[in-house]
Amino acid sequence: MLNRTLIDPQAFATQAETLQGTVSLQDLDKRTWSPDIADTATDIHYAITGGMDRWQRLFLDLTVSGSLKLNCQRCMQPTEFLLDEQVRIILFHREQDLDDAMIVDEELEGMVLENELDVFTLLEDQILMALPISPKHDQCGNNHLDKINQDKPNPFAVLAGLKKS
Ligand SMILES: [Zn+2]
């Protein structure tokens, strides 16, 4: 496990700071290693930008992306899942303010300000929310065919070979 990256969310947002990096899924908490994940040696790219919205609320904009290999729940072969999440997390000073804001806006993502915030915990939460509950190919077997076609640049040569034999 890597050293965790801690930020002071209030200062980060107030000073409109930016942080970006790449972390392997392997180095994140095991709770993100869903049994559906075929390969945990996958890079996750992230970026966090702080700021203040037009209602003078501090926020953190978080972007998480990566290409995950998940086991298809139908054929158990890997399927690619493109993780590409963007979320604005509004920071509140009091629990009550967060509750009030969520009543007005059900879609709102928010948290109560802490002195220290673990960036990787944020990432882990986003990854967990983004993972499909039951990943499946659109059409099982198609992936496999695509791959074969790509490996053989000239399908006619293959056909000719088949005719000969
Ligand atoms: Zn499948």
Side-chain angles (χ1 to χ4, degrees):
M1 177 102 45
L2 289 182
N3 289 330
R4 312 293 284 188
T5 302
L6 299 172
I7 59 171
D8 172 347
Q10 184 164 10
F12 195 92
T14 307
Q15 291 155 27
E17 284 184 52
T18 296
L19 177 75
Q20 52 187 322
T22 300
V23 62
S24 172
L25 198 58
Q26 259 173 340
D27 292 321
L28 293 178
D29 193 275
K30 283 196 173 65
R31 68 197 174 103
T32 57
W33 303 358
S34 146
D36 296 336
I37 292 178
D39 185 5
T40 55
T42 299
D43 280 348
I44 304 289
H45 309 283
Y46 63 91
I48 304 173
T49 305
M52 185 182 276
D53 70 11
R54 59 193 165 113
W55 295 286
Q56 311 289 308
R57 299 182 304 190
L58 294 173
F59 66 78
L60 299 175
D61 275 344
L62 175 66
T63 307
V64 189
S65 63
S67 167
L68 304 182
K69 284 199 182 59
L70 305 180
N71 292 317
C72 168
Q73 294 307 290
R74 217 158 19 208
C75 68
M76 300 317 284
Q77 296 297 313
T79 172
E80 189 181 41
F81 173 69
L82 288 177
L83 177 72
D84 186 12
E85 291 294 303
Q86 285 162 5
V87 64
R88 171 162 292 186
I89 301 160
I90 311 282
L91 305 171
F92 294 92
H93 288 278
R94 300 182 309 145
E95 188 84 44
Q96 185 61 48
D97 297 335
L98 172 59
D99 291 346
D100 291 347
M102 286 183 77
I103 290 168
V104 179
D105 180 1
E106 286 176 7
E107 308 272 290
L108 180 129
E109 298 252 12
M111 65 170 56
V112 177
L113 277 167
E114 300 160 29
N115 292 333
E116 252 181 7
L117 179 65
D118 185 328
V119 169
F120 288 171
T121 303
L122 276 187
L123 296 185
E124 287 153 6
D125 289 344
Q126 285 307 313
I127 294 168
L128 281 175
M129 279 192 273
L131 284 178
I133 293 165
S134 180
K136 289 188 189 79
H137 290 114
D138 288 340
Q139 273 183 297
C140 289
N142 253 14
N143 248 15
H144 198 58
L145 278 180
D146 286 347
K147 206 164 183 189
I148 287 171
N149 286 336
Q150 279 166 18
D151 288 347
K152 309 234 191 235
N154 187 347
F156 297 104
V158 177
L159 263 183
L162 283 175
K163 274 178 192 160
K164 260 183 227 163
S165 61

